[in-house]
Amino acid sequence: MAFQKIAYQIALPLGHRWLFAFLFVAIVSRAQNSVRYDLFVDDTTVNYTGKNVRALAINGQIPAPALTFTEGDTALIYVHNRLNQETSIHWHGIILPNQYDGVPYLTTAPIEPGSTHLFKFPIVQHGTYWYHSHTKLQEQRGMYGAFIIHKRTETRLPEYVMVLSDWTNETPHEVHRSLHNATDWYAIQKGATQNYGAALAQGHLGTKLTNEWKRMLPMDVSDVYYNRFLINGMPVQRPSKFRPGDRVHIRLVNGSSSTYFWLQYAGGKITVVGNDGEDVEPVEVDRLIVAVAETYDLVVTIPPDGSFELKATSEDRTGFASLFLGRGPDHSVPPMPRLKYFAGMKMMNGMMRMDGSMDDMGMDMSLQQMDMNAVMYPEVTAGQDHRQHDTMSMASLPDDFVTLNYAMLRATKKTKLPDAPTRTLYMQLTGNMSRYVWTVNNRTVSESDKIMIRRGENVRIILENASMMRHPMHLHGHFFRVLNGQGDYSPLKNVLDIMPMETDTIEFAATESGDWFFHCHILYHMMSGMGRIFSYENSPPNPEIPNPRRAMRMLYRDDREFHPMARIGLESNGSDGELMFSNTRWLLQTEWRLGWHDQHGWESESHFGRYLGRNQFWLPYVGWDYRYRKGGELEPTFFGQDNSKDERTVFCAGLRYTLPMFLLADIRVDQSGKFRFQLSREDVALSSRLRLNFMVNTDREYMAGFRYIFTKYFALSTHYDSDMGFGAGITLSY
């Protein structure tokens, strides 16, 4: 109607209907140009590391093709699902009607196999964005791509779209299952187990003992071992279109599933001109860390006489990907040195209380300005002895060396929210590394009610990271202000990287309707429960979600999923093992010990219980116990009660508690009134691959053994059992 009104006011004095029609068509076609894309989702085979692996592709590409628009366009995007499973596409950072946001079962219907879904929405912004699947773990398999929106009038520099990603040869479902079963195989692959042998060799035995006394797992900055890190689907890119002297606009997207990247340029300074699609006042830096799901607009200048590396190094420093700009001999960024893990462990020990809560030691950290992980960076802490000091000095870097942090970002326009009532929410980011449960205020998405908000109010969120991992928190459908000291020019973002122990404040104007997801964008954290749903009161029904109750049940399945685990020992004295199914709160477990002859006998114990407490140290359970041994005799227990192993079947109830040093204390009583108390410990890391385990209980049973890990699924093992004697063989793990 606005365009019609303008055209009519111009044409009326002239009295020419043809001029009215011409002006109307011209204005509408320029301001509302429809841009159509057809995206065909299919599976394909890739080979990044000499191994053929199935992946997902869009239009045959990984990453998916970059979609390019101009501000004012109308997007017409047809997504054709050729998979044998449902899929979805979320338009990350794009302001659009709620029904097109692309979260299956929350805002948009899942795209069923063999079907096509049309996304139609106006382009009301400009900048660097991206899109990806929001279904299960599909994003890790290749479903992501850049979404670029140009200003309608601008002087453009030569530009390069740079999509960073991480690649694993394992299926994402296997990665997810493994994380929930506390395997340290990924740490073995990285050389980051922080075992007792390494602690002793490096003079950190006390640090290691304190770490386990406080029931903390070894320090790491990334959960997963990745086989490759990629730029636009390749480890190295060498575009030929750029010349020496060019100022190049880098449109950077971190499309990884769980990897932060350090970015450095061999050709000099990096100028940051945009973040998460929003313009910022230019700031020159020497390096920046790019959180999962963040985007940056950068400008670099290509010096003469060479090809200069823009290097993206994974935060855990296990690999990198390179973009070379220019022509001539290569000029490379020096490799980042290996992390000092025991320095990080010592720092972590000082911040963790015995009850599992955190203490920032008065450092009042925010906005990435004080990186608690800096004690692990050799380039920052060279020459410092962390057995005596916990300093965060930048002593080994040049005085003019600049690392970007959020306090440096300043918007190019005022971002002050309109005067309106303000609702303040407090969210604490919490988690349990040993069981890989990630929560907000100690609740997963499925355990939480929607957060109701009203259109027209302002929402302020105080975010405290009470975990030892970074979390890139993403809000769908909105931009929020980051209160970083820039006043009315506080930057607008849609992803906030909040580091361990930080407290940051964000705020946004509630201008939409419907339900919107707010979650950690590390894929495996989100799937484990770290998120919330904002819901506008009095919103009209969403035509994409005809059955809201069923849809929420489907959405909640993600963090309620049960994960299987098995360990089977096959040794000369018999077989012992464990089979377990668990999710964020519940455990179903069966253990067995099977001798090769009747005199050794066999037994099985099964338990069903629920983990309690923020750190899940408590596990009350019920279960049953079956034992048989030929010629078994009554044996007195430590409590003076008779204990029979000759075809005994009993039901029991008990309580398991995780003590310091990760000792499992288990007390139970069976239906006949007999008590048993047991202490055990699995997987004491003596070296990178050598593990110790032991058990003793008041039934006068005991066991001790070793495993030497060769692969994720295979180990040599030996142990002594009070019932079955000494044995050696192999252990298979799943």
Side-chain angles (χ1 to χ4, degrees):
M1 293 300 294
F3 296 122
Q4 291 176 338
K5 183 178 181 180
I6 294 171
Y8 181 76
Q9 289 174 340
I10 295 174
L12 185 62
L14 300 176
H16 296 302
R17 293 183 179 180
W18 63 266
L19 181 59
F20 168 79
F22 171 79
L23 287 171
F24 174 72
V25 171
I27 292 171
V28 171
S29 64
R30 176 167 177 79
Q32 294 185 342
N33 180 40
S34 293
V35 179
R36 171 170 175 158
Y37 286 96
D38 286 86
L39 303 181
F40 296 90
V41 183
D42 210 336
D43 60 1
T44 187
T45 300
V46 297
N47 188 332
Y48 291 123
T49 58
K51 180 179 180 181
N52 289 331
V53 180
R54 299 302 290 173
L56 300 181
I58 297 179
N59 293 5
Q61 299 179 41
I62 301 176
L67 307 186
T68 304
F69 300 89
T70 300
E71 192 171 10
D73 288 345
T74 295
L76 293 172
I77 306 172
Y78 292 83
V79 180
H80 309 270
N81 184 6
R82 293 177 170 178
L83 302 172
N84 60 4
Q85 58 186 289
E86 67 182 43
T87 191
S88 62
I89 297 289
H90 165 56
W91 313 101
H92 182 107
I94 305 300
I95 301 300
L96 76 180
N98 179 255
Q99 71 186 78
Y100 297 122
D101 184 56
V103 180
Y105 303 109
L106 182 65
T107 60
T108 311
I111 307 172
E112 300 293 342
S115 68
T116 296
H117 195 104
L118 169 62
F119 294 86
K120 180 180 180 180
F121 50 88
I123 302 296
V124 299
Q125 61 203 105
H126 63 265
T128 301
Y129 304 95
W130 65 302
Y131 62 101
H132 58 84
S133 172
H134 225 291
T135 298
K136 299 295 183 180
L137 301 164
Q138 290 179 354
E139 180 191 323
Q140 177 77 88
R141 295 184 64 194
M143 283 191 64
Y144 48 84
F147 195 108
I148 307 302
I149 309 173
H150 289 107
K151 298 178 183 177
R152 182 156 294 282
T153 58
E154 65 175 334
T155 302
R156 296 185 191 173
L157 294 174
E159 69 179 35
Y160 185 82
V161 177
M162 180 177 177
V163 181
L164 301 174
S165 60
D166 43 28
W167 179 261
T168 170
N169 285 339
E170 286 190 306
T171 66
H173 293 282
E174 174 61 10
V175 172
H176 193 42
R177 185 193 68 82
S178 299
L179 292 171
H180 280 276
N181 288 315
T183 177
D184 64 351
W185 175 245
Y186 300 132
I188 291 173
Q189 290 179 292
K190 295 180 187 184
T193 57
Q194 298 150 67
N195 56 79
Y196 274 98
L200 187 62
Q202 298 180 37
H204 277 286
L205 182 59
T207 300
K208 176 66 175 175
L209 289 169
T210 301
N211 184 251
E212 294 208 337
W213 181 255
K214 292 190 174 184
R215 293 171 285 199
M216 290 188 289
L217 293 177
M219 184 70 177
D220 204 353
V221 297
S222 178
D223 303 325
V224 183
Y225 172 80
Y226 284 102
N227 298 94
R228 280 287 185 272
F229 300 102
L230 308 171
I231 294 173
N232 298 342
M234 296 294 290
V236 180
Q237 292 283 357
R238 295 180 179 272
S240 59
K241 62 182 179 179
F242 302 115
R243 303 289 188 273
D246 281 352
R247 296 178 69 239
V248 182
H249 180 183
I250 303 293
R251 293 184 176 271
L252 178 68
V253 175
N254 185 351
S256 71
S257 293
S258 62
T259 300
Y260 283 65
F261 289 96
W262 281 109
L263 203 70
Q264 296 172 283
Y265 180 47
K269 296 281 188 177
I270 300 171
T271 303
V272 179
V273 297
N275 179 219
D276 285 349
E278 286 287 319
D279 296 336
V280 298
E281 294 288 350
V283 55
E284 286 192 344
V285 299
D286 294 283
R287 69 176 180 179
L288 63 151
I289 194 164
V290 187
V292 175
E294 274 192 311
T295 74
Y296 276 93
D297 287 88
L298 312 170
V299 175
V300 298
T301 301
I302 304 176
D305 304 324
S307 182
F308 295 84
E309 183 184 28
L310 185 60
K311 176 183 278 188
T313 303
S314 64
E315 189 188 13
D316 63 9
R317 307 186 181 196
T318 58
F320 61 90
S322 301
L323 168 66
F324 284 91
L325 300 172
R327 296 183 175 183
D330 287 350
H331 296 266
S332 298
V333 175
M336 300 188 82
R338 179 178 172 78
L339 293 175
K340 302 169 73 171
Y341 283 105
F342 283 110
M345 181 182 285
K346 183 171 183 179
M347 169 210 63
M348 188 168 64
N349 290 346
M351 291 184 169
M352 182 72 77
R353 300 185 181 99
M354 281 299 298
D355 64 357
S357 63
M358 309 293 290
D359 179 7
D360 68 0
M361 301 188 293
M363 289 190 283
D364 193 25
M365 295 180 288
S366 66
L367 302 168
Q368 302 177 324
Q369 295 175 93
M370 182 183 294
D371 186 352
M372 60 172 286
N373 291 334
V375 298
M376 302 170 67
Y377 303 161
E379 73 277 12
V380 174
T381 57
Q384 298 175 13
D385 184 351
H386 288 284
R387 285 172 290 180
Q388 280 77 41
H389 305 286
D390 286 326
T391 178
M392 295 184 184
S393 162
M394 302 288 284
S396 65
L397 294 174
D399 292 339
D400 62 347
F401 191 92
V402 178
T403 300
L404 183 72
N405 63 60
Y406 286 155
M408 300 177 184
L409 298 180
R410 181 179 174 86
T412 59
K413 59 187 178 184
K414 288 187 177 181
T415 62
K416 184 179 179 181
L417 300 185
D419 292 333
T422 298
R423 178 175 304 199
T424 300
L425 304 170
Y426 175 79
M427 293 187 182
Q428 189 178 66
L429 308 182
T430 46
N432 181 336
M433 275 296 295
S434 61
R435 301 200 60 252
Y436 213 77
V437 178
W438 296 104
T439 53
V440 176
N441 296 338
N442 198 33
R443 292 182 181 272
T444 64
V445 173
S446 68
E447 296 170 336
S448 309
D449 295 328
K450 294 179 180 180
I451 299 174
M452 305 304 297
I453 58 178
R454 298 185 183 93
R455 188 169 185 172
E457 69 181 359
N458 296 330
V459 179
R460 178 172 295 160
I461 307 173
I462 301 172
L463 280 165
E464 178 194 357
N465 187 354
S467 78
M468 298 304 293
M469 296 290 292
R470 303 176 86 123
H471 299 291
M473 301 300 295
H474 170 49
L475 177 60
H476 286 223
H478 302 71
F479 280 85
F480 50 74
R481 299 175 78 237
V482 181
L483 302 188
N484 68 340
Q486 299 289 355
D488 288 350
Y489 293 86
S490 295
L492 293 175
K493 288 177 59 61
N494 57 67
V495 175
L496 179 79
D497 170 35
I498 180 166
M499 294 195 300
M501 302 306 301
E502 277 195 353
T503 298
D504 291 324
T505 301
I506 62 177
E507 60 184 18
F508 65 93
T511 58
E512 307 298 321
S513 64
D515 293 339
W516 300 93
F517 209 3
F518 180 54
H519 63 90
C520 178
H521 218 290
I522 293 176
L523 180 60
Y524 303 103
H525 291 188
M526 179 190 74
M527 290 292 292
S528 299
M530 183 172 273
R532 283 291 184 273
I533 297 169
F534 286 104
S535 183
Y536 281 83
E537 296 179 1
N538 303 316
S539 292
N542 185 342
E544 293 280 324
I545 311 294
N547 188 337
R549 288 191 176 182
R550 177 183 179 276
M552 291 308 296
R553 288 198 299 270
M554 297 295 289
L555 183 74
Y556 289 161
R557 291 192 310 177
D558 285 348
D559 67 62
R560 291 175 174 172
E561 180 182 2
F562 276 82
H563 304 276
M565 187 278 285
R567 180 177 293 167
I568 303 172
L570 300 172
E571 299 183 358
S572 57
N573 61 343
S575 172
D576 60 349
E578 175 185 17
L579 178 64
M580 181 174 72
F581 293 89
S582 65
N583 70 359
T584 53
R585 305 295 180 189
W586 295 95
L587 170 72
L588 176 61
Q589 175 191 40
T590 294
E591 304 172 9
W592 71 86
R593 285 163 290 279
L594 172 64
W596 295 136
H597 51 77
D598 289 347
Q599 284 72 27
H600 284 171
W602 57 82
E603 63 179 292
S604 69
E605 295 185 29
S606 300
H607 312 98
F608 179 69
R610 177 179 171 84
Y611 288 97
L612 302 178
R614 171 174 161 175
N615 297 289
Q616 301 193 355
F617 292 151
W618 299 94
L619 177 72
Y621 65 86
V622 294
W624 56 96
D625 181 356
Y626 175 75
R627 301 188 181 202
Y628 169 79
R629 186 173 64 185
K630 186 176 181 179
E633 300 175 355
L634 292 178
E635 299 176 355
T637 70
F638 182 83
F639 295 117
Q641 297 175 304
D642 290 334
N643 178 36
S644 171
K645 298 182 181 179
D646 186 3
E647 292 196 79
R648 186 180 65 150
T649 302
V650 294
F651 289 92
C652 61
L655 180 65
R656 185 183 299 170
Y657 180 70
T658 303
L659 292 166
M661 305 300 293
F662 291 105
L663 289 170
L664 289 182
D666 188 322
I667 187 166
R668 69 169 219 189
V669 59
D670 66 30
Q671 67 192 49
S672 63
K674 293 185 173 62
F675 286 89
R676 188 189 74 185
F677 178 72
Q678 180 170 292
L679 282 176
S680 62
R681 171 75 192 270
E682 291 281 346
D683 292 331
V684 181
L686 302 180
S687 72
S688 178
R689 293 176 180 266
L690 183 62
R691 301 290 181 268
L692 166 69
N693 54 88
F694 58 86
M695 178 277 293
V696 61
N697 64 36
T698 55
D699 285 352
R700 304 187 188 277
E701 298 172 321
Y702 53 90
M703 179 277 297
F706 298 92
R707 289 183 298 114
Y708 188 85
I709 300 168
F710 280 91
T711 73
K712 183 177 181 180
Y713 307 107
F714 177 81
L716 293 180
S717 59
T718 181
H719 82 287
Y720 181 84
D721 184 282
S722 56
D723 287 336
M724 297 189 295
F726 176 81
I730 63 172
T731 294
L732 305 176
S733 300
Y734 173 72

